[in-house]
Structures are given as structure tokens and as C-alpha cells.
Amino acid sequence: MKQIPMRLLLRITSIFSIFALILLCSCRELEPENGPGSVKWGDRTVKSATLDSLMSGETYLSVYSQIYSSKEKRTHNLTATVSVRNTNNLDSVYIEKVEYYNTAGKLIKSFINQPVFISPMETIEIVLSEDVLKGGTGANFLFYWKKKDRTPEPFFEALMISTSGQQGISFTTQGRQIK
């Protein structure tokens, strides 16, 4: 058997080490600039009296913290990003209440204490982390909102995603106006 010269072996090892280091550094998770889902609700509050003359509505949005995987007893955890979008480029829309319920219909969390505004063409997000499983396989949100008469209602959407190794899953749901 022929031996590999030591100099060549060191060169190959160095190249491999540099490649591995570059690969590891490129895989690190980047820190978001503003932190995902870090809506500062207190900075968006408006007085309730301001909204008295506006049209009101309610929207239901299904969200999945988990989905079944191969059998009923096995679930796969998901991260959910809930987007609330103002599709109007002139007027703000207002969210009076945001409620998050679990599969059994039990209220898990209310996100705001007083009405907040969403500026024209703005999107605000609520992020439900993959490790928070309180919602279960049938979680949902109720949004109570107000808008001017000719302004389109806000658009509600959820994106659920998870990755494990080389496997990934993602899907969306859209809100449905119920009132």
C-alpha cells in the first residue's frame, strides 16, 4: 500500500477543516432585527371613543400548534406566524380584541387590553413558538376589529412551519369573517 506524503495529508486536512468551518458558520441562526412577533401593543393604543362611528366585525382564524403525523397518537410540533394585514393604503384599521383558544375551546390568552391601530399597508405579526403546545391540533384566534365604512376589512393569515433534519412542512390558513 502506498503512503500519502505528510505534506499532502496536512493540506487536505486544512482544506477540509476550512470547508467545515465555513459550513458551520453559514448554518447559524441569524438574530432578527426587531425580534419576531414583538408587537409593542402599548405603542399602538387608541381611545375607544375614537372608534364609536366605525363599522365592526369579527374574524375567525384557525391555527395549528401541532398536526398529526402518521397516526393519531403521534403529533408534529409547528411554529405559527399569525399576520394581521391592513390592505388599505389610505386609512388605518383597528383591532379591539385578540383572543387565542385551544383545541377544546378554552381561552389561552388575550393579546390586547384596549384598541390598537394598524397603519395603512402595515402588517403586524404574532409568533407562536414551536415549543409552546398549548393550542394543540385545533387552536384558533378570534379578532374583533373596526374600520371606516369604505375601507376593506383587515386580512388575517397564519403560516405554520416546522423543519426536522432535511424534512420540512409548511402551510397557511386564512381568516374567515364571522360577523
Side-chain angles (χ1 to χ4, degrees):
M1 188 185 320
K2 200 173 187 182
Q3 285 190 336
I4 300 174
M6 185 58 93
R7 184 176 257 170
L8 181 60
L9 188 58
L10 285 173
R11 204 173 261 174
I12 291 171
T13 305
S14 296
I15 291 171
F16 178 76
S17 297
I18 291 170
F19 178 73
L21 185 62
I22 290 170
L23 186 62
L24 285 173
C25 289
S26 67
C27 291
R28 69 183 168 91
E29 195 170 313
L30 298 176
E31 290 296 319
E33 290 179 25
N34 296 328
S38 59
V39 177
K40 292 186 172 67
W41 299 107
D43 295 346
R44 305 179 151 277
T45 60
V46 294
K47 292 184 175 30
S48 293
T50 314
L51 308 177
D52 288 344
S53 63
L54 301 178
M55 286 182 52
S56 63
E58 290 177 32
T59 298
Y60 168 86
L61 178 66
S62 58
V63 176
Y64 300 84
S65 297
Q66 300 173 310
I67 56 172
Y68 294 108
S69 178
S70 74
K71 47 181 126 175
E72 187 177 346
K73 300 285 184 198
R74 185 173 175 200
T75 56
H76 194 80
N77 302 341
L78 304 169
T79 297
T81 303
V82 175
S83 292
V84 181
R85 300 172 184 265
N86 181 356
T87 61
N88 188 312
N89 63 348
L90 299 175
D91 297 315
S92 291
V93 294
Y94 304 90
I95 307 297
E96 291 187 294
K97 195 172 8 172
V98 178
E99 297 175 332
Y100 179 47
Y101 294 86
N102 69 10
T103 303
K106 180 182 175 195
L107 179 64
I108 296 173
K109 183 174 182 174
S110 291
F111 282 87
I112 59 175
N113 298 328
Q114 59 189 94
V116 296
F117 69 90
I118 302 176
S119 298
M121 299 305 295
E122 183 179 23
T123 300
I124 60 171
E125 296 172 330
I126 299 168
V127 177
L128 305 172
S129 178
E130 183 175 294
D131 57 355
V132 178
L133 306 176
K134 293 178 182 176
T137 57
N140 49 74
F141 275 85
L142 277 179
F143 295 92
Y144 301 83
W145 47 267
K146 288 203 168 193
K147 67 178 190 74
K148 288 183 179 176
D149 186 32
R150 298 197 187 278
T151 300
E153 68 259 8
F155 181 67
F156 302 91
E157 187 172 46
L159 168 67
M160 279 63 62
I161 187 168
S162 183
T163 56
S164 177
Q166 293 182 354
Q167 296 289 324
I169 184 171
S170 65
F171 59 97
T172 62
T173 58
Q174 293 183 352
R176 176 177 226 141
Q177 187 173 347
I178 57 176
K179 178 182 167 195

